[in-house]
Amino acid sequence: MSTEAPSLREELILEEYRSLRAQLDYQVRDNRELERYAVLGVGVVFAWLAPIEHPTHLVLPAWLVPPLIALHGRLRASTVSKRIDQLATYIQGLESQVRVSGSLSPAWETTLAQSRKRGTSPGLGANQRLFWRVLIAFSAAGSIYGFICHHFHF
């Protein structure tokens, strides 16, 4: 077993790996917070609109806000997910460089990509798509119902 100090190139690759890994972790947290805030935003708008007994013409268009919050959240989540995929792909390249040079490598992204190909990874993407579809459908249905009830005074 060799106890050689890592070369400057290997140190730079490892430092870059740590930095990109931190960015990746931040993006994943950002996506989860986005989901939380979208649900909160939709709920707050519904809570504000629901008890209004005699809406004015200015209040009725506000029923469009919950689905718009959900749609905007979905678009933002899609952008963040693309960034996550870019970072993961780049990190896989770094992992292969370190492995080729003979250093020990934390090969999490490479392992994760292989399990996705085999279909054994649960995949956050599928769960995220389901979450946004449900939120958009719920907010649209709630808005349509609320608009009809307020507009026709049910």
Side-chain angles (χ1 to χ4, degrees):
M1 183 165 138
S2 174
T3 58
E4 286 182 31
S7 69
L8 179 59
R9 180 179 178 277
E10 289 172 334
E11 286 182 36
L12 288 173
I13 289 173
L14 288 172
E15 189 57 38
E16 183 179 27
Y17 175 86
R18 287 184 198 104
S19 173
L20 291 170
R21 193 65 224 173
Q23 287 181 41
L24 186 68
D25 293 341
Y26 172 79
Q27 297 290 330
V28 170
R29 271 193 316 277
D30 188 38
N31 243 356
R32 293 297 169 229
E33 288 175 0
L34 179 62
E35 292 171 354
R36 186 176 320 124
Y37 294 138
V39 169
L40 183 65
V42 167
V44 165
V45 174
F46 278 147
W48 169 63
L49 290 172
I52 298 174
E53 291 184 26
H54 303 290
T56 65
H57 291 290
L58 295 175
V59 172
L60 290 176
W63 284 101
L64 294 173
V65 172
L68 290 175
I69 290 172
L71 286 169
H72 179 16
R74 172 63 180 108
L75 292 173
R76 173 78 175 117
S78 177
T79 302
V80 172
S81 293
K82 286 177 186 170
R83 177 70 176 146
I84 288 170
D85 290 342
Q86 286 176 330
L87 287 167
T89 301
Y90 189 81
I91 289 172
Q92 287 174 37
L94 288 179
E95 290 171 349
S96 66
Q97 285 180 33
V98 172
R99 235 185 354 270
V100 166
S101 71
S103 299
L104 290 175
S105 167
W108 172 248
E109 293 302 327
T110 303
T111 304
L112 194 58
Q114 290 168 350
S115 42
R116 275 193 214 113
K117 286 179 185 174
R118 288 191 307 266
T120 58
S121 171
L124 293 175
N127 292 335
Q128 186 182 45
R129 284 189 298 275
L130 178 63
F131 169 83
W132 288 109
R133 285 177 184 153
V134 168
L135 183 62
I136 290 168
F138 170 77
S139 63
S143 289
I144 291 168
Y145 177 77
F147 179 82
I148 290 171
C149 288
H150 276 130
H151 187 67
F152 297 108
H153 304 290
F154 287 128

